[in-house]
């Protein structure tokens, strides 16, 4: 699939250090624009540099502009971070499966995010809030290394807590003089919050180490494997099942994932 050209309309620095930025983009030719579902990704390219798989952080209920939150880690993401509104990038997609938002209807939802891992969850959170009557109570547990590393602060503080039956519970690894909230790693904080598993689905995304311990904490709290949904960020190159960069056993995360229930992951080799 060829990338389509998209213009950066706006860039929002999410973190105090600026290492995570949200890019709001519009396709130059509206005909090349695509629709997506919560949890799906796009392959983002910069001419002469390369491509990277990035989760679409906007909700399909608010389709334009497309929003991509990008953490600067290497060559491609560094080049993206140098760009300015008006610059043009390539975007192809959508890729991957999506969160099972239909099966989630009528259930209470427990979101557990860490760092930039809130990006794909944000797409689903805003989808659910835009269809609020279809879902039960919502708890959003979110953590970052420090208060300055929390992403999507406007929604965390001013939007999501005001939605009906919705709680936002924040934690940081290290506080500062102004921080009055919890100081604990996400899995420990989750155990302190101690959500009851009945009628609930847990959806988690974050760094691999956070996911590993969060899955253990959820099991300790009594969540069954079928009640836990996670999204994996294995290294990807082609996004279409051709290059073999993202396989776990015989499954390709770019085709079968990135969203899996823990019950599905338990049937796969522990290579994630
Ligand atoms: C399904 C999926 C969704 C993703 N969503 C997002 C997102 O919403 N926002 C975002 O910022 N990033 C996301 N990523 C990660 C992103 O694709 C990589 O960070 C990006 O490819 C790095 O490109 P680069 O050229 O800047 O870094 P490179 O020069 O390729 O690598 C720099 C460093 O990052 C490491 N690295 C590269 N890719 C990954 C990876 N996938 N996981 C862990 N370490 C990696 C490398 O080992 C190296 O240490 C996602 C990845 C996948 C597979
Ligand atoms: S990214 Fe190439 S096979 Fe999945």
């Amino acid at each position: 699939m060829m990338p389509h050209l998209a213009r950066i309309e706006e860039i929002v620095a999410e973190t105090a250090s600026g290492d995570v930025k949200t890019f709001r983009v519009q396709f130059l030719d509206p005909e090349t624009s695509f629709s997506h579902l919560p949890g799906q990704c796009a392959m983002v390219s910069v001419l002469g540099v390369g491509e990277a798989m990035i989760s679409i952080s906007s909700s399909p209920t608010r389709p334009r502009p497309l929003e991509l939150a990008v953490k600067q880690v290497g060559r491609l993401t560094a080049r993206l971070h140098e760009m300015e509104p008006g610059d043009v990038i390539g975007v192809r997609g959508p890729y991957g499966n999506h969160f099972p938002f239909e099966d989630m209807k009528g259930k209470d939802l427990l979101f557990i995010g860490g760092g930039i891992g809130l990006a794909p969850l944000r797409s689903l959170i805003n989808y659910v809030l835009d269809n609020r009557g279809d879902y039960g109570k919502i708890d959003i547990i979110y953590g970052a290394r420090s208060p300055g590393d929390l992403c999507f602060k406007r929604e965390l503080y001013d939007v999501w807590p005001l939605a009906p039956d919705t709680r936002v519970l924040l934690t940081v690894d290290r506080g500062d003089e102004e921080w009055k909230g919890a100081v604990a790693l996400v899995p420990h904080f989750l155990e302190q919050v101690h959500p009851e598993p009945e009628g609930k689905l847990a959806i988690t995304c974050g760094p691999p180490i956070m996911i590993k311990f969060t899955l253990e904490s959820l099991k300790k709290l009594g969540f069954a494997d079928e009640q836990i949904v996670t999204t994996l960020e294995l290294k990807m190159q082609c996004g279409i099942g051709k290059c073999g960069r993202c396989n776990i056993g015989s499954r390709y995360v770019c085709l079968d994932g990135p969203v899996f229930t823990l019950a599905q992951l338990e049937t796969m080799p522990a290579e994630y």
Side-chain angles (χ1 to χ4, degrees):
M1 192 192 284
M2 291 290 289
H4 300 300
L5 297 179
R7 178 169 286 114
I8 300 171
E9 278 201 331
E10 195 184 353
I11 302 174
V12 180
E14 297 289 353
T15 53
S17 69
D19 68 341
V20 177
K21 291 181 180 174
T22 289
F23 295 81
R24 301 205 167 108
V25 306
Q26 291 280 11
F27 289 92
L28 294 193
D29 176 358
E31 296 278 302
T32 61
S33 157
F34 55 79
S35 54
H36 71 282
L37 295 170
Q40 286 192 299
C41 307
M43 198 63 104
V44 174
S45 54
V46 177
L47 202 65
V49 183
E51 287 191 310
M53 191 68 92
I54 302 293
S55 306
I56 300 170
S57 73
S58 42
S59 164
T61 47
R62 309 167 192 188
R64 299 289 168 261
L66 200 70
E67 294 181 337
L68 306 154
V70 179
K71 182 170 176 130
Q72 182 178 337
V73 295
R75 238 164 71 82
L76 185 279
T77 49
R79 182 67 197 93
L80 257 181
H81 271 237
E82 288 166 5
M83 293 186 133
E84 294 187 351
D87 287 342
V88 171
I89 58 173
V91 180
R92 59 185 173 100
Y95 288 114
N97 64 353
H98 55 83
F99 290 112
F101 55 89
E102 287 292 339
D103 301 343
M104 292 176 174
K105 283 185 176 166
K107 303 213 167 76
D108 293 341
L109 302 179
L110 170 64
F111 292 94
I112 309 159
I116 181 107
L118 189 58
L121 299 183
R122 173 182 183 252
S123 176
L124 179 62
I125 291 168
N126 282 329
Y127 178 90
V128 166
L129 293 180
D130 288 345
N131 293 281
R132 191 67 195 87
D134 290 343
Y135 299 90
K137 292 185 178 139
I138 298 174
D139 278 344
I140 301 165
I141 292 181
Y142 176 51
R145 280 170 302 173
S146 72
D149 290 312
L150 294 165
C151 297
F152 309 115
K153 288 190 187 62
R154 193 182 71 83
E155 283 160 316
L156 289 177
Y157 289 110
D158 300 335
V159 181
W160 294 341
L162 305 183
D165 280 332
T166 304
R167 290 195 303 171
V168 176
L169 305 156
L170 302 178
T171 183
V172 294
D173 301 353
R174 283 185 320 279
D176 59 22
E177 51 290 346
E178 281 166 34
W179 180 254
K180 304 272 186 297
V183 178
L185 298 175
V186 169
H188 296 159
F189 184 55
L190 167 66
E191 291 186 30
Q192 287 166 18
V193 174
H194 210 278
E196 297 294 335
E198 283 74 41
K200 217 170 252 136
L201 263 184
I203 309 108
T204 183
C205 185
I209 190 76
M210 185 212 95
I211 292 192
K212 176 177 155 45
F213 288 109
T214 296
L215 296 180
E216 285 178 15
S217 297
L218 284 168
K219 289 181 110 167
K220 220 189 283 179
L221 290 164
F223 282 77
D225 292 354
E226 295 75 16
Q227 287 176 285
I228 303 173
V229 178
T230 187
T231 164
L232 299 180
E233 289 197 2
L234 257 67
K235 285 188 184 174
M236 289 187 190
Q237 192 173 321
C238 68
I240 52 172
K242 300 276 184 222
C243 72
R245 279 284 286 275
C246 71
N247 67 302
I248 303 178
S250 59
R251 318 259 315 249
Y252 290 105
V253 175
C254 65
L255 296 179
D256 299 328
V259 176
F260 296 95
T261 62
L262 185 55
Q264 289 169 322
L265 287 180
E266 298 284 16
T267 67
M268 294 155 63
E271 293 166 4
Y272 47 89

